[in-house]
Amino acid sequence: MGMLCAVSFNRYGRLYYLDPAGHTPAVGDRVLVPTEDGTEVAECVWAAQWVDEDTSGFPKLAGPAGTADLDRDALVRRRKADAKVAAKKLIREHELPMKVVAVDHLPGPEPATGRVEEGARTTIYFTAPHRVDFRSLVRDLGATLRCRVELRQLSARDSARVQGGIGSCGRDLCCATFLRDFEPVSIRMAKDQDLPLNPLRISGACGRLMCCLKYEHPLYQRFQESAPAVGERVETEHGAGRVVGHSVPRDAVTVRLDADGSRCSCSRASVCGSRQAYESRYES
């Protein structure tokens, strides 16, 4: 048992969980988070609270952000905005089929001197329909931004993760909030979940099959293993009937009653219990 807090580097971005390490940040406070490139400023989204799990493996909060840290973060944001504008302008001039998705900037040791940032690096993430020769673009960007520039092409899913958005369910994209890795998704998963095989209905913002098909699939598998199949006869509290449908999110089955042909929704536990009792009575 330990304490955890959640922070985000961007508004409505992915949440990162950290051990507060004795600090008590409130929601909205700016805090320092250790990263591979040093400490960065993030916003506390969930205040520190006790959780019933081992927190020894979580990174520790570096502490509250000071004035110098906030000034450095504001400078980085300005550099990123300038780099995005310059990249879009030069892409148009070079007539390249590229779309800038995100920009990341790592300042040098003394970013506030107003001179060329020694050791600074700007990374520009983009999407393109095919591989692009951007060597001349990198040279022009380096001369314009006066720092080292890297360009990285993103896949459709990585682009959706970086940009974020709202899914067909009305919630923030899973890849932009809590998913860490992209696992293979097959059309078979959509069939097992009785979804329409319409690409517009089962595709996410990236144009690929929705990630939720993957991590929800085990739930449907467990349900199908224990629930009566469609067409099977069952006993319900309303009388005998035949299963005509499943509702996995509600953990229920739809039964058409023999008495009057009406339909009722019964929990899977009640129907399975009646069926098991019925079968055990005849087996004994």
Side-chain angles (χ1 to χ4, degrees):
M1 187 172 182
M3 295 191 72
L4 286 179
C5 64
V7 302
S8 177
F9 293 99
N10 300 299
R11 184 174 295 275
Y12 308 120
R14 176 180 297 184
L15 298 182
Y16 295 87
Y17 297 91
L18 299 98
D19 182 347
H23 302 285
T24 56
V27 175
D29 288 352
R30 309 298 293 277
V31 295
L32 295 177
V33 178
T35 66
E36 296 179 354
D37 297 322
T39 57
E40 294 188 18
V41 177
E43 181 179 353
C44 180
V45 179
W46 289 353
Q49 56 184 328
W50 291 100
V51 294
D52 295 329
E53 61 179 285
D54 183 18
T55 60
S56 58
F58 288 86
K60 297 184 181 296
L61 198 68
T67 303
D69 300 314
L70 295 177
D71 292 342
R72 181 176 182 272
D73 182 63
L75 177 64
V76 169
R77 293 181 183 275
R78 288 197 301 270
R79 292 284 192 271
K80 291 165 65 174
D82 294 341
K84 190 171 186 178
V85 172
K88 289 183 176 180
K89 178 181 178 181
L90 289 173
I91 286 173
R92 287 194 301 268
E93 293 179 358
H94 285 264
E95 298 181 351
L96 295 174
M98 300 167 59
K99 178 182 177 182
V100 177
V101 175
V103 178
D104 192 17
H105 180 76
L106 180 64
E110 296 182 0
T113 58
R115 299 189 300 270
V116 177
E117 297 183 28
E118 296 293 338
R121 183 177 74 248
T122 297
T123 305
I124 299 175
Y125 302 91
F126 70 94
T127 58
H130 49 75
R131 293 184 63 85
V132 179
D133 184 4
F134 48 73
R135 288 174 293 183
S136 60
L137 175 63
V138 171
R139 289 194 298 268
D140 292 346
L141 280 172
T144 302
L145 301 177
R146 298 187 300 172
C147 66
R148 179 184 173 187
V149 177
E150 296 181 2
L151 268 69
R152 296 183 183 178
Q153 186 169 354
L154 299 180
S155 64
R157 285 189 168 182
D158 285 327
S159 175
R161 166 188 283 180
V162 171
Q163 295 183 87
I166 304 297
S168 58
C169 59
R171 300 178 63 88
D172 293 329
L173 297 180
C174 301
C175 59
T177 51
F178 65 90
L179 285 184
R180 294 187 176 182
D181 300 313
F182 292 121
E183 299 184 13
V185 185
S186 66
I187 198 69
R188 181 64 189 177
M189 297 176 183
K191 293 180 179 179
D192 291 343
Q193 298 177 34
D194 197 25
L195 294 174
L197 302 182
N198 183 345
L200 297 178
R201 297 285 300 276
I202 59 177
S203 298
C206 59
R208 305 293 191 271
L209 292 175
M210 293 187 294
C211 295
C212 57
L213 296 177
K214 172 63 178 180
Y215 63 79
E216 289 180 355
H217 190 241
L219 176 65
Y220 284 81
Q221 288 181 314
R222 290 193 297 268
F223 182 91
Q224 292 170 359
E225 289 173 357
S226 59
V230 174
E232 187 174 342
R233 297 192 59 79
V234 295
E235 290 286 339
T236 72
E237 59 182 3
H238 304 290
R242 190 179 300 275
V243 176
V244 295
H246 292 159
S247 179
V248 178
R250 293 189 301 167
D251 197 25
V253 297
T254 302
V255 180
R256 185 173 59 219
L257 301 177
D258 295 338
D260 54 4
S262 61
R263 300 190 179 193
C264 65
S265 178
C266 305
S267 66
R268 176 176 57 89
S270 64
V271 174
C272 290
S274 301
R275 183 185 62 173
Q276 293 169 0
Y278 178 81
E279 293 176 350
S280 62
R281 184 170 67 246
Y282 283 94
E283 289 175 356
S284 60

